[in-house]
mmCIF file of all heavy atoms in Angstrom:
data_model
loop_
_atom_site.group_PDB
_atom_site.id
_atom_site.type_symbol
_atom_site.label_atom_id
_atom_site.label_comp_id
_atom_site.label_asym_id
_atom_site.label_seq_id
_atom_site.Cartn_x
_atom_site.Cartn_y
_atom_site.Cartn_z
ATOM 1 N N VAL U 1 22.474 0.387 9.798
ATOM 2 C CA VAL U 1 21.558 -0.661 9.356
ATOM 3 C C VAL U 1 20.217 -0.537 10.100
ATOM 4 O O VAL U 1 19.134 -0.680 9.534
ATOM 5 C CB VAL U 1 22.152 -2.100 9.602
ATOM 6 C CG1 VAL U 1 21.152 -3.181 9.425
ATOM 7 C CG2 VAL U 1 23.294 -2.337 8.638
ATOM 8 N N GLY U 2 20.335 -0.294 11.478
ATOM 9 C CA GLY U 2 19.139 -0.137 12.232
ATOM 10 C C GLY U 2 18.371 1.125 11.788
ATOM 11 O O GLY U 2 17.104 1.018 11.640
ATOM 12 N N ALA U 3 18.988 2.198 11.478
ATOM 13 C CA ALA U 3 18.296 3.427 11.010
ATOM 14 C C ALA U 3 17.662 3.116 9.632
ATOM 15 O O ALA U 3 16.532 3.614 9.359
ATOM 16 C CB ALA U 3 19.249 4.579 10.945
ATOM 17 N N LEU U 4 18.361 2.486 8.763
ATOM 18 C CA LEU U 4 17.965 2.188 7.402
ATOM 19 C C LEU U 4 16.692 1.243 7.456
ATOM 20 O O LEU U 4 15.680 1.478 6.751
ATOM 21 C CB LEU U 4 18.948 1.574 6.572
ATOM 22 C CG LEU U 4 18.753 1.326 5.046
ATOM 23 C CD1 LEU U 4 18.348 2.651 4.392
ATOM 24 C CD2 LEU U 4 19.876 0.666 4.407
ATOM 25 N N LEU U 5 16.698 0.149 8.281
ATOM 26 C CA LEU U 5 15.545 -0.712 8.414
ATOM 27 C C LEU U 5 14.397 -0.005 9.031
ATOM 28 O O LEU U 5 13.257 -0.233 8.604
ATOM 29 C CB LEU U 5 15.939 -1.931 9.235
ATOM 30 C CG LEU U 5 16.979 -2.872 8.665
ATOM 31 C CD1 LEU U 5 17.356 -3.999 9.624
ATOM 32 C CD2 LEU U 5 16.518 -3.397 7.317
ATOM 33 N N THR U 6 14.625 0.931 9.989
ATOM 34 C CA THR U 6 13.540 1.669 10.629
ATOM 35 C C THR U 6 12.840 2.527 9.564
ATOM 36 O O THR U 6 11.626 2.650 9.496
ATOM 37 C CB THR U 6 14.061 2.468 11.744
ATOM 38 O OG1 THR U 6 14.686 1.659 12.753
ATOM 39 C CG2 THR U 6 12.926 3.304 12.394
ATOM 40 N N GLN U 7 13.666 3.227 8.694
ATOM 41 C CA GLN U 7 13.046 4.111 7.607
ATOM 42 C C GLN U 7 12.318 3.158 6.632
ATOM 43 O O GLN U 7 11.332 3.615 6.082
ATOM 44 C CB GLN U 7 14.207 4.813 6.958
ATOM 45 C CG GLN U 7 14.922 5.785 7.792
ATOM 46 C CD GLN U 7 16.079 6.525 7.066
ATOM 47 O OE1 GLN U 7 16.318 6.269 5.879
ATOM 48 N NE2 GLN U 7 16.903 7.303 7.831
ATOM 49 N N TRP U 8 12.885 2.031 6.309
ATOM 50 C CA TRP U 8 12.198 1.119 5.377
ATOM 51 C C TRP U 8 10.833 0.713 5.889
ATOM 52 O O TRP U 8 9.860 0.778 5.127
ATOM 53 C CB TRP U 8 13.069 -0.092 5.189
ATOM 54 C CG TRP U 8 12.788 -0.877 3.990
ATOM 55 C CD1 TRP U 8 11.665 -0.790 3.124
ATOM 56 C CD2 TRP U 8 13.671 -1.911 3.342
ATOM 57 N NE1 TRP U 8 11.782 -1.639 2.055
ATOM 58 C CE2 TRP U 8 12.969 -2.407 2.188
ATOM 59 C CE3 TRP U 8 14.900 -2.430 3.689
ATOM 60 C CZ2 TRP U 8 13.472 -3.295 1.378
ATOM 61 C CZ3 TRP U 8 15.403 -3.427 2.866
ATOM 62 C CH2 TRP U 8 14.789 -3.821 1.719
ATOM 63 N N VAL U 9 10.757 0.326 7.176
ATOM 64 C CA VAL U 9 9.492 -0.127 7.695
ATOM 65 C C VAL U 9 8.514 1.061 7.792
ATOM 66 O O VAL U 9 7.311 0.904 7.461
ATOM 67 C CB VAL U 9 9.765 -0.706 9.156
ATOM 68 C CG1 VAL U 9 8.407 -0.900 9.816
ATOM 69 C CG2 VAL U 9 10.503 -1.988 9.026
ATOM 70 N N ALA U 10 9.049 2.235 8.152
ATOM 71 C CA ALA U 10 8.119 3.408 8.190
ATOM 72 C C ALA U 10 7.633 3.761 6.862
ATOM 73 O O ALA U 10 6.447 4.138 6.734
ATOM 74 C CB ALA U 10 8.909 4.627 8.809
ATOM 75 N N GLN U 11 8.431 3.685 5.814
ATOM 76 C CA GLN U 11 7.916 3.961 4.420
ATOM 77 C C GLN U 11 6.875 2.946 3.994
ATOM 78 O O GLN U 11 5.881 3.292 3.349
ATOM 79 C CB GLN U 11 9.088 3.956 3.470
ATOM 80 C CG GLN U 11 8.656 4.336 2.081
ATOM 81 C CD GLN U 11 9.808 4.370 1.058
ATOM 82 O OE1 GLN U 11 10.820 3.671 1.292
ATOM 83 N NE2 GLN U 11 9.679 5.007 -0.024
ATOM 84 N N ASP U 12 7.060 1.687 4.334
ATOM 85 C CA ASP U 12 6.059 0.694 4.023
ATOM 86 C C ASP U 12 4.759 0.900 4.721
ATOM 87 O O ASP U 12 3.658 0.750 4.116
ATOM 88 C CB ASP U 12 6.578 -0.737 4.299
ATOM 89 C CG ASP U 12 7.678 -1.210 3.370
ATOM 90 O OD1 ASP U 12 7.749 -0.623 2.307
ATOM 91 O OD2 ASP U 12 8.414 -2.182 3.759
ATOM 92 N N ARG U 13 4.836 1.381 5.935
ATOM 93 C CA ARG U 13 3.609 1.714 6.709
ATOM 94 C C ARG U 13 2.900 2.901 6.023
ATOM 95 O O ARG U 13 1.662 2.840 5.860
ATOM 96 C CB ARG U 13 3.937 1.995 8.133
ATOM 97 C CG ARG U 13 4.336 0.789 8.978
ATOM 98 C CD ARG U 13 4.707 1.186 10.368
ATOM 99 N NE ARG U 13 5.083 0.067 11.135
ATOM 100 C CZ ARG U 13 5.543 0.140 12.398
ATOM 101 N NH1 ARG U 13 5.864 1.339 12.957
ATOM 102 N NH2 ARG U 13 5.901 -0.929 13.099
ATOM 103 N N ARG U 14 3.659 3.908 5.645
ATOM 104 C CA ARG U 14 3.051 5.090 5.004
ATOM 105 C C ARG U 14 2.379 4.680 3.634
ATOM 106 O O ARG U 14 1.306 5.130 3.342
ATOM 107 C CB ARG U 14 4.076 6.149 4.771
ATOM 108 C CG ARG U 14 4.514 6.894 6.060
ATOM 109 C CD ARG U 14 5.209 8.137 5.752
ATOM 110 N NE ARG U 14 6.519 7.906 5.044
ATOM 111 C CZ ARG U 14 7.679 7.721 5.692
ATOM 112 N NH1 ARG U 14 7.767 7.693 6.971
ATOM 113 N NH2 ARG U 14 8.770 7.435 4.951
ATOM 114 N N THR U 15 3.023 3.772 2.897
ATOM 115 C CA THR U 15 2.487 3.320 1.712
ATOM 116 C C THR U 15 1.268 2.575 1.900
ATOM 117 O O THR U 15 0.205 2.699 1.170
ATOM 118 C CB THR U 15 3.538 2.442 0.951
ATOM 119 O OG1 THR U 15 4.713 3.221 0.682
ATOM 120 C CG2 THR U 15 3.021 1.989 -0.386
ATOM 121 N N ALA U 16 1.268 1.695 2.936
ATOM 122 C CA ALA U 16 0.085 0.927 3.238
ATOM 123 C C ALA U 16 -1.133 1.856 3.623
ATOM 124 O O ALA U 16 -2.265 1.584 3.233
ATOM 125 C CB ALA U 16 0.334 -0.128 4.353
ATOM 126 N N VAL U 17 -0.875 2.842 4.403
ATOM 127 C CA VAL U 17 -1.902 3.781 4.864
ATOM 128 C C VAL U 17 -2.471 4.503 3.639
ATOM 129 O O VAL U 17 -3.689 4.684 3.557
ATOM 130 C CB VAL U 17 -1.365 4.792 5.865
ATOM 131 C CG1 VAL U 17 -2.311 5.916 6.138
ATOM 132 C CG2 VAL U 17 -0.977 4.068 7.203
ATOM 133 N N ARG U 18 -1.566 4.975 2.771
ATOM 134 C CA ARG U 18 -2.049 5.672 1.556
ATOM 135 C C ARG U 18 -2.877 4.744 0.682
ATOM 136 O O ARG U 18 -3.901 5.132 0.180
ATOM 137 C CB ARG U 18 -0.883 6.223 0.732
ATOM 138 C CG ARG U 18 -0.257 7.427 1.341
ATOM 139 C CD ARG U 18 0.617 8.141 0.341
ATOM 140 N NE ARG U 18 1.659 7.279 -0.212
ATOM 141 C CZ ARG U 18 2.897 7.240 0.319
ATOM 142 N NH1 ARG U 18 3.203 7.923 1.357
ATOM 143 N NH2 ARG U 18 3.788 6.389 -0.201
ATOM 144 N N THR U 19 -2.475 3.419 0.569
ATOM 145 C CA THR U 19 -3.277 2.534 -0.303
ATOM 146 C C THR U 19 -4.609 2.237 0.333
ATOM 147 O O THR U 19 -5.622 2.211 -0.382
ATOM 148 C CB THR U 19 -2.450 1.227 -0.405
ATOM 149 O OG1 THR U 19 -1.155 1.527 -0.994
ATOM 150 C CG2 THR U 19 -3.147 0.233 -1.287
ATOM 151 N N ASP U 20 -4.676 2.004 1.669
ATOM 152 C CA ASP U 20 -5.917 1.770 2.328
ATOM 153 C C ASP U 20 -6.836 3.010 2.172
ATOM 154 O O ASP U 20 -8.068 2.749 1.975
ATOM 155 C CB ASP U 20 -5.658 1.471 3.790
ATOM 156 C CG ASP U 20 -4.885 0.140 4.031
ATOM 157 O OD1 ASP U 20 -4.951 -0.677 3.060
ATOM 158 O OD2 ASP U 20 -4.361 -0.054 5.073
ATOM 159 N N ARG U 21 -6.276 4.213 2.326
ATOM 160 C CA ARG U 21 -7.134 5.341 2.154
ATOM 161 C C ARG U 21 -7.685 5.445 0.747
ATOM 162 O O ARG U 21 -8.923 5.777 0.568
ATOM 163 C CB ARG U 21 -6.363 6.639 2.544
ATOM 164 C CG ARG U 21 -7.193 7.867 2.581
ATOM 165 C CD ARG U 21 -6.410 9.084 2.802
ATOM 166 N NE ARG U 21 -5.651 9.036 4.060
ATOM 167 C CZ ARG U 21 -4.340 9.050 4.142
ATOM 168 N NH1 ARG U 21 -3.546 9.092 3.057
ATOM 169 N NH2 ARG U 21 -3.749 8.891 5.299
ATOM 170 N N LYS U 22 -6.898 5.172 -0.277
ATOM 171 C CA LYS U 22 -7.344 5.146 -1.623
ATOM 172 C C LYS U 22 -8.333 4.125 -1.918
ATOM 173 O O LYS U 22 -9.362 4.411 -2.564
ATOM 174 C CB LYS U 22 -6.103 5.020 -2.534
ATOM 175 C CG LYS U 22 -6.460 5.000 -4.071
ATOM 176 C CD LYS U 22 -5.254 4.768 -4.848
ATOM 177 C CE LYS U 22 -5.546 4.786 -6.369
ATOM 178 N NZ LYS U 22 -4.354 4.518 -7.214
ATOM 179 N N ASP U 23 -8.209 2.919 -1.286
ATOM 180 C CA ASP U 23 -9.170 1.843 -1.543
ATOM 181 C C ASP U 23 -10.491 2.132 -0.861
ATOM 182 O O ASP U 23 -11.544 1.818 -1.368
ATOM 183 C CB ASP U 23 -8.617 0.513 -1.041
ATOM 184 C CG ASP U 23 -7.415 0.070 -1.840
ATOM 185 O OD1 ASP U 23 -7.307 0.499 -2.974
ATOM 186 O OD2 ASP U 23 -6.665 -0.798 -1.375
ATOM 187 N N ASP U 24 -10.435 2.836 0.327
ATOM 188 C CA ASP U 24 -11.671 3.228 0.955
ATOM 189 C C ASP U 24 -12.430 4.176 0.132
ATOM 190 O O ASP U 24 -13.670 4.189 0.138
ATOM 191 C CB ASP U 24 -11.362 3.821 2.367
ATOM 192 C CG ASP U 24 -10.807 2.747 3.314
ATOM 193 O OD1 ASP U 24 -11.055 1.582 3.076
ATOM 194 O OD2 ASP U 24 -10.144 3.137 4.324
ATOM 195 N N GLU U 25 -11.772 5.076 -0.588
ATOM 196 C CA GLU U 25 -12.491 6.098 -1.319
ATOM 197 C C GLU U 25 -12.895 5.601 -2.758
ATOM 198 O O GLU U 25 -13.984 5.888 -3.202
ATOM 199 C CB GLU U 25 -11.603 7.380 -1.457
ATOM 200 C CG GLU U 25 -11.319 8.085 -0.214
ATOM 201 C CD GLU U 25 -10.511 9.311 -0.390
ATOM 202 O OE1 GLU U 25 -10.391 9.731 -1.536
ATOM 203 O OE2 GLU U 25 -10.013 9.909 0.566
ATOM 204 N N TYR U 26 -11.999 4.877 -3.371
ATOM 205 C CA TYR U 26 -12.194 4.503 -4.749
ATOM 206 C C TYR U 26 -12.367 2.969 -4.976
ATOM 207 O O TYR U 26 -12.456 2.526 -6.141
ATOM 208 C CB TYR U 26 -11.033 4.973 -5.616
ATOM 209 C CG TYR U 26 -10.877 6.473 -5.554
ATOM 210 C CD1 TYR U 26 -9.835 6.987 -4.807
ATOM 211 C CD2 TYR U 26 -11.703 7.354 -6.161
ATOM 212 C CE1 TYR U 26 -9.562 8.313 -4.715
ATOM 213 C CE2 TYR U 26 -11.566 8.746 -6.028
ATOM 214 C CZ TYR U 26 -10.446 9.214 -5.273
ATOM 215 O OH TYR U 26 -10.260 10.563 -5.232
ATOM 216 N N GLY U 27 -12.398 2.100 -3.880
ATOM 217 C CA GLY U 27 -12.367 0.716 -4.034
ATOM 218 C C GLY U 27 -10.967 0.125 -4.207
ATOM 219 O O GLY U 27 -10.053 0.831 -4.467
ATOM 220 N N ASP U 28 -10.955 -1.214 -4.023
ATOM 221 C CA ASP U 28 -9.639 -1.830 -4.101
ATOM 222 C C ASP U 28 -9.305 -2.081 -5.603
ATOM 223 O O ASP U 28 -9.732 -3.000 -6.263
ATOM 224 C CB ASP U 28 -9.799 -3.255 -3.449
ATOM 225 C CG ASP U 28 -8.372 -3.910 -3.203
ATOM 226 O OD1 ASP U 28 -7.527 -3.568 -3.966
ATOM 227 O OD2 ASP U 28 -8.297 -4.663 -2.259
ATOM 228 N N SER U 29 -8.463 -1.204 -6.154
ATOM 229 C CA SER U 29 -8.142 -1.220 -7.505
ATOM 230 C C SER U 29 -7.366 -2.487 -7.941
ATOM 231 O O SER U 29 -7.581 -3.055 -9.014
ATOM 232 C CB SER U 29 -7.345 0.012 -7.898
ATOM 233 O OG SER U 29 -6.204 0.071 -7.097
ATOM 234 N N GLU U 30 -6.503 -2.922 -7.042
ATOM 235 C CA GLU U 30 -5.703 -4.158 -7.395
ATOM 236 C C GLU U 30 -6.576 -5.393 -7.454
ATOM 237 O O GLU U 30 -6.493 -6.227 -8.362
ATOM 238 C CB GLU U 30 -4.602 -4.311 -6.384
ATOM 239 C CG GLU U 30 -3.528 -3.236 -6.377
ATOM 240 C CD GLU U 30 -2.418 -3.488 -5.376
ATOM 241 O OE1 GLU U 30 -2.500 -4.498 -4.613
ATOM 242 O OE2 GLU U 30 -1.526 -2.706 -5.300
ATOM 243 N N LEU U 31 -7.580 -5.510 -6.510
ATOM 244 C CA LEU U 31 -8.492 -6.612 -6.495
ATOM 245 C C LEU U 31 -9.417 -6.618 -7.705
ATOM 246 O O LEU U 31 -9.678 -7.616 -8.414
ATOM 247 C CB LEU U 31 -9.373 -6.646 -5.203
ATOM 248 C CG LEU U 31 -10.344 -7.785 -5.088
ATOM 249 C CD1 LEU U 31 -9.624 -9.209 -5.129
ATOM 250 C CD2 LEU U 31 -11.117 -7.611 -3.730
ATOM 251 N N ALA U 32 -9.892 -5.315 -8.054
ATOM 252 C CA ALA U 32 -10.750 -5.263 -9.241
ATOM 253 C C ALA U 32 -10.016 -5.588 -10.522
ATOM 254 O O ALA U 32 -10.562 -6.341 -11.414
ATOM 255 C CB ALA U 32 -11.241 -3.871 -9.312
ATOM 256 N N ALA U 33 -8.759 -5.250 -10.609
ATOM 257 C CA ALA U 33 -7.976 -5.610 -11.798
ATOM 258 C C ALA U 33 -7.782 -7.050 -11.850
ATOM 259 O O ALA U 33 -7.787 -7.710 -12.947
ATOM 260 C CB ALA U 33 -6.598 -4.870 -11.746
ATOM 261 N N TYR U 34 -7.530 -7.671 -10.758
ATOM 262 C CA TYR U 34 -7.347 -9.200 -10.720
ATOM 263 C C TYR U 34 -8.613 -9.920 -11.087
ATOM 264 O O TYR U 34 -8.512 -10.867 -11.943
ATOM 265 C CB TYR U 34 -6.856 -9.572 -9.327
ATOM 266 C CG TYR U 34 -6.584 -11.066 -9.112
ATOM 267 C CD1 TYR U 34 -5.506 -11.669 -9.738
ATOM 268 C CD2 TYR U 34 -7.480 -11.875 -8.426
ATOM 269 C CE1 TYR U 34 -5.268 -13.027 -9.594
ATOM 270 C CE2 TYR U 34 -7.234 -13.210 -8.309
ATOM 271 C CZ TYR U 34 -6.108 -13.831 -8.912
ATOM 272 O OH TYR U 34 -5.939 -15.195 -8.743
ATOM 273 N N ASN U 35 -9.777 -9.426 -10.593
ATOM 274 C CA ASN U 35 -11.043 -10.115 -11.000
ATOM 275 C C ASN U 35 -11.289 -9.920 -12.455
ATOM 276 O O ASN U 35 -11.736 -10.852 -13.172
ATOM 277 C CB ASN U 35 -12.141 -9.496 -10.187
ATOM 278 C CG ASN U 35 -12.092 -9.999 -8.682
ATOM 279 O OD1 ASN U 35 -11.527 -11.074 -8.432
ATOM 280 N ND2 ASN U 35 -12.602 -9.144 -7.783
ATOM 281 N N ALA U 36 -11.013 -8.730 -13.024
ATOM 282 C CA ALA U 36 -11.250 -8.542 -14.430
ATOM 283 C C ALA U 36 -10.326 -9.385 -15.271
ATOM 284 O O ALA U 36 -10.747 -9.860 -16.351
ATOM 285 C CB ALA U 36 -10.928 -7.028 -14.735
ATOM 286 N N MET U 37 -9.114 -9.650 -14.845
ATOM 287 C CA MET U 37 -8.245 -10.526 -15.577
ATOM 288 C C MET U 37 -8.768 -11.933 -15.569
ATOM 289 O O MET U 37 -8.762 -12.659 -16.600
ATOM 290 C CB MET U 37 -6.770 -10.505 -14.915
ATOM 291 C CG MET U 37 -5.811 -11.349 -15.620
ATOM 292 S SD MET U 37 -4.365 -11.674 -14.690
ATOM 293 C CE MET U 37 -5.009 -12.667 -13.387
ATOM 294 N N LEU U 38 -9.330 -12.404 -14.411
ATOM 295 C CA LEU U 38 -9.801 -13.751 -14.380
ATOM 296 C C LEU U 38 -11.070 -13.856 -15.286
ATOM 297 O O LEU U 38 -11.286 -14.858 -15.979
ATOM 298 C CB LEU U 38 -10.241 -14.078 -12.926
ATOM 299 C CG LEU U 38 -9.051 -14.248 -11.896
ATOM 300 C CD1 LEU U 38 -9.583 -14.490 -10.632
ATOM 301 C CD2 LEU U 38 -8.161 -15.377 -12.385
#
């Protein structure tokens, strides 16, 4: 359980880093989509 939770947290961190890098280059796609919907 400890190893699995550690891997889970590490994967979430990697996903967050990739998302932040993508948003820095191309803008926050999720926020833009939300604003367009509104």
Side-chain angles (χ1 to χ4, degrees):
V1 170
L4 187 58
L5 293 178
T6 301
Q7 293 175 8
W8 199 345
V9 172
Q11 184 181 21
D12 287 345
R13 288 176 179 173
R14 289 193 296 268
T15 302
V17 170
R18 286 196 301 268
T19 302
D20 292 341
R21 187 183 302 117
K22 180 181 178 181
D23 292 341
D24 291 339
E25 293 183 14
Y26 304 104
D28 193 336
S29 57
E30 293 182 0
L31 180 60
Y34 181 70
N35 290 332
M37 182 193 69
L38 292 178

